[in-house]
Amino acid sequence: MFSRTAAAVVPAFGRLTTSTDVSSLPAPAVLVANHTSPADPAVMLAALRSMDIEPVVLATAGLWRVPVLRYLLDRDGHVPVHRRTSRAADSLDAAAAALAAGRHVLIYGEGRLPSRTDAAEAAPEPFRSGPARLSLASGAPVVPIGQAGARRIASGSRAKHIAGFLTAPARRPRLHVHVGAPLHLPAGIEAANASTHQAVVSAWRVAAGRLLEPAALTR
């Protein structure tokens, strides 16, 4: 439901293009993306649906506090993440179950939005260990995904978020999602996490480069 909605709505807010290093993705797989804006989950779902992929998404548990939204999220099989609580590990168990059922699982490496207030692109920040642990425990490969442009829809303060969403249909900023090649991680959480981060940085660099973002064009 959310993938279909995103595919219908995102084109009104920006000009979305996609690219990929592979013709098809294995299933199950752990899709790991960079997180830069409240708008990028919709951008990601729209891009993946154009590739016939509708993933289970690990999302902040706060969304489940909205009664109707909670029903829709549960119906689609999405997974709440209870950060900084004793239930934080439950999300990885639920994600592993989705992988065991043959689903793709989408997880954001940083686990949070950046604190920056500007709308420019920057390389993904350090990752939490969740994506690496999920891949190693399940045996499912990691598929690195880089997205760029969503900060042109919404970034910065709450007021800037609102202004961005209201003006995006007139501005229709360029958006790009790049899907990298699947990779099997090395043993050990630290090495696996480093490999995952490096692969997502590379995918982000392709996506941001398509938009001619300065951060991606200079190393």
Side-chain angles (χ1 to χ4, degrees), residues 35-149:
H35 196 18
T36 64
S37 164
D40 65 52
V43 172
M44 191 68 60
L45 289 178
L48 290 173
R49 192 165 195 270
S50 73
M51 303 174 188
D52 296 320
I53 297 170
E54 297 190 10
V56 169
V57 182
L58 273 70
T60 178
L63 297 176
W64 272 256
R65 298 193 188 103
V66 183
V68 175
L69 183 57
R70 175 175 184 159
Y71 165 77
L72 296 174
L73 288 164
D74 285 340
R75 188 186 69 175
D76 283 3
H78 301 301
V79 176
V81 180
H82 300 270
R83 297 188 180 95
R84 293 182 293 276
T85 73
S86 59
R87 299 176 60 190
D90 294 349
S91 61
L92 293 185
D93 292 338
L99 290 168
R103 299 288 303 273
H104 293 96
V105 171
L106 173 62
I107 182 170
Y108 286 101
E110 295 101 326
R112 62 181 179 84
L113 290 171
S115 58
R116 296 183 296 111
T117 59
D118 62 289
E121 288 294 321
E125 296 182 350
F127 280 4
R128 298 179 185 272
S129 63
R133 287 190 284 129
L134 180 59
S135 176
L136 291 175
S138 66
V142 160
V143 175
I145 304 178
Q147 67 80 26

Side-chain angles (χ1 to χ4, degrees), residues 124 127 144 183 191-205:
F127 280 4
L183 66 149
N193 194 38
S195 293
T196 301
H197 184 264
Q198 182 179 15
V200 174
V201 169
S202 295
W204 163 82
R205 195 173 295 281

Side-chain angles (χ1 to χ4, degrees), residues 6-16 46 172:
V9 171
V10 166
F13 286 81
R15 293 165 287 165
L16 175 62
R172 296 193 71 241

